[in-house]
Amino acid sequence: MSYGQHQVLDRVSLEVSPGEIYGLLGSNGSGKSTLLRIVAGAIRPLAGDVVVRGPHGYVAQTFALYEDLPVAANIEFFGQCAGLRGHKLTASVHEVMDRVGLLGVRNQPTSQLSHGWRQRLKLAVALCNAPSVLLLDEVTAGIDPIARQDLWQILKTYARSGMAILLSTHHMDEAARCDRVGYLKDGSLLFSDSPAVVRARGQAAAQSDLAPTAEFIDGVQAVMRDHRAPLRAVSDRIRGAG
């Protein structure tokens, strides 16, 4: 996938199984949002295939809600856009509000919601058509730790019911909650594995030849203890330790 001369994604291949939460890590511009938009069908890839088994729900970073509508009416509107009608629509709206914790604010205007509650509402909209696959683009960005914890409890519940969840995040603690994580850099998927395996690889890398030697660390500590040493002496001691 390219924008002009810039290649955003390069031969990315991954699979998310039912009941699995897969986290995408990467800096801004690494391709996380573009990948989610492709899976959601919002944009077409230049090459390759995307297979989504069953209906999907998608929460983009710039997902728009109708500010003048109450919470329940927003979910109902998007449920109608997804093809729900009559009793099925009513039941779906009530179920997602119950599971996401919105029943207490169902009649509140969306414009009066805090950022954390708005994120819940966006999640409810994405869930109203009972998707098999849920796509979330930094859905917890900018919300407080308690609200993040609540959202993760909701996601874990849906994953246990068999939903496949693909999400992007900048939070390492959230990556640790995922079943698997993948790291995108410059459009390429550098690794994809369980958080435990990724952590073990990181520890191994820290102990590799690229890591500072014990002698180097001792030299730096000695310099820090003797901060009044002349600059040339400091330089010589670090060089001798490295």
Side-chain angles (χ1 to χ4, degrees):
M1 185 69 197
S2 301
Y3 288 115
Q5 299 298 317
H6 178 60
Q7 189 164 22
V8 181
L9 293 173
D10 183 19
R11 290 171 290 185
V12 173
S13 178
L14 61 85
E15 180 178 349
V16 184
S17 302
E20 181 180 30
I21 300 179
Y22 190 108
L24 290 170
L25 289 167
S27 60
N28 291 331
S30 61
K32 302 187 303 297
S33 296
T34 301
L35 178 58
L36 286 167
R37 292 178 67 193
I38 288 174
V39 177
I43 55 177
R44 290 185 178 182
L46 298 178
D49 298 307
V50 177
V51 178
V52 179
R53 295 182 173 88
H56 71 271
Y58 174 44
V59 178
Q61 291 187 42
T62 56
F63 190 90
L65 297 167
Y66 287 93
E67 299 290 326
D68 56 337
L69 290 180
V71 167
N74 253 302
I75 303 172
E76 183 176 348
F77 171 78
F78 286 102
Q80 290 176 336
C81 293
L84 300 179
R85 297 290 187 274
H87 174 72
K88 189 173 183 179
L89 173 63
T90 302
S92 176
V93 170
H94 185 275
E95 179 184 356
V96 295
M97 284 196 299
D98 183 31
R99 297 187 68 173
V100 178
L102 292 172
L103 283 176
V105 295
R106 62 181 301 161
N107 296 319
Q108 186 169 329
T110 299
S111 59
Q112 296 179 9
L113 296 179
S114 67
H115 181 65
W117 284 101
R118 292 169 70 89
Q119 294 303 91
R120 285 190 187 224
L121 176 53
K122 293 177 182 180
L123 181 59
V125 167
L127 292 167
C128 69
N129 66 329
S132 302
V133 178
L134 185 61
L135 310 169
L136 306 173
D137 196 357
E138 297 185 22
V139 71
T140 61
I143 64 177
D144 64 79
I146 295 177
R148 283 175 54 202
Q149 175 74 16
D150 291 342
L151 279 176
W152 267 96
Q153 291 298 328
I154 295 168
L155 296 181
K156 288 285 188 180
T157 299
Y158 276 98
R160 285 193 293 268
S161 69
M163 183 179 293
I165 301 176
L166 176 62
L167 59 87
S168 66
T169 180
H170 283 297
H171 299 289
M172 295 305 297
D173 63 315
E174 291 188 354
R177 297 170 184 256
C178 298
D179 299 297
R180 282 191 301 146
V181 294
Y183 186 80
L184 280 168
K185 182 178 181 181
D186 298 329
S188 296
L189 188 64
L190 299 188
F191 63 74
S192 177
D193 220 317
S194 69
V197 171
V198 172
R199 192 179 304 114
R201 286 180 180 175
Q203 292 171 348
Q207 297 170 3
S208 70
D209 292 339
L210 297 177
T213 63
E215 291 79 12
F216 181 83
I217 294 174
D218 289 341
V220 173
Q221 290 175 339
V223 171
M224 292 175 65
R225 286 194 299 269
D226 190 10
H227 62 277
R228 292 170 297 178
L231 181 60
R232 182 176 296 278
V234 169
S235 176
D236 290 344
R237 291 168 71 175
I238 292 180
R239 242 194 332 266

